[in-house]
Structure formats: C-alpha cells, structure tokens
Amino acid sequence: MSEFERAQKNLKNDLLFLSILELIILGFSFFKGYINVFSLGFAIFLFLGFFLAKNGSKVVGTIGIIVGILMVLTILKGDIIDFLLGLFIVLHSSKYLKSF
C-alpha cells in the first residue's frame, strides 16, 4: 500500500466517523429543541469530503484542513471533543496533501 493510499484511507475513515458523530450530536440537539448549526455545517462538509476522498480528489485535503481548523476553534466555546477531533482531521488532511 502506497503512502497516498494509506493517507487516503485514514482521511476517509476520519471523515466518515466524524460525519456520523456530528449527525448524532445534531439529532440529540434537535430532540432537545434546538438545532446546533455547527454540527450541521460540519456534517455537510465532512460528508462532502468523504465522497471526494473516495474519488481521490485533491480538494478533500483543503476541505479537511478548513473543517479541522473550524473544529479546533470550537475550543473557544469549551468544546474539547470537537477540538481534539479537529486536530486529527488537520493532521490527516495535511498528510493527504503531502502525499498527493
């Protein structure tokens, strides 16, 4: 397995896992009576990135870095989990772009 294939696999797994996690968070917030706009936006971009990563597009690395940085910035509102998961996305997206 080449370095690009490994980076692509890691990024696809991260994007799929995080998009499912964000949808779960969105579902919980919906049942509590509000819509978490951040989770909705993250879920949309993460699903888009997953489908682009399956095709091997270079754009997915940029999408991953942008979403990762936005997730890291959620530390300002005290969301440590999104912060840590955002770090993984940024790291795997940068490795993906390097190996492209």
Side-chain angles (χ1 to χ4, degrees):
M1 182 180 281
S2 70
E3 183 180 342
F4 174 74
E5 291 171 340
R6 190 174 309 116
Q8 183 182 22
K9 180 183 171 200
N10 286 338
L11 189 57
K12 281 191 320 188
N13 290 340
D14 286 349
L15 291 171
L16 181 63
F17 174 75
L18 286 178
S19 60
I20 291 170
L21 184 66
E22 291 297 334
L23 286 176
I24 292 170
I25 292 170
L26 186 64
F28 281 129
S29 67
F30 182 71
F31 285 122
K32 287 189 174 190
Y34 66 95
I35 295 177
N36 190 340
V37 179
F38 290 111
S39 292
L40 179 63
F42 291 155
I44 290 170
F45 282 113
L46 291 167
F47 266 125
L48 176 67
F50 173 73
F51 289 115
L52 289 173
K54 285 178 73 173
N55 296 331
S57 175
K58 190 174 184 176
V59 177
V60 72
T62 307
I63 289 173
I65 288 176
I66 291 170
V67 171
I69 289 172
L70 290 174
M71 289 178 83
V72 166
L73 289 176
T74 61
I75 193 71
L76 298 175
K77 68 175 191 163
D79 195 355
I80 295 173
I81 294 173
D82 272 349
F83 172 78
L84 294 173
L85 295 174
L87 285 177
F88 285 114
I89 289 290
V90 169
L91 291 174
H92 286 155
S93 295
S94 62
K95 286 181 184 177
Y96 179 83
L97 286 174
K98 272 186 187 176
S99 66
F100 206 85

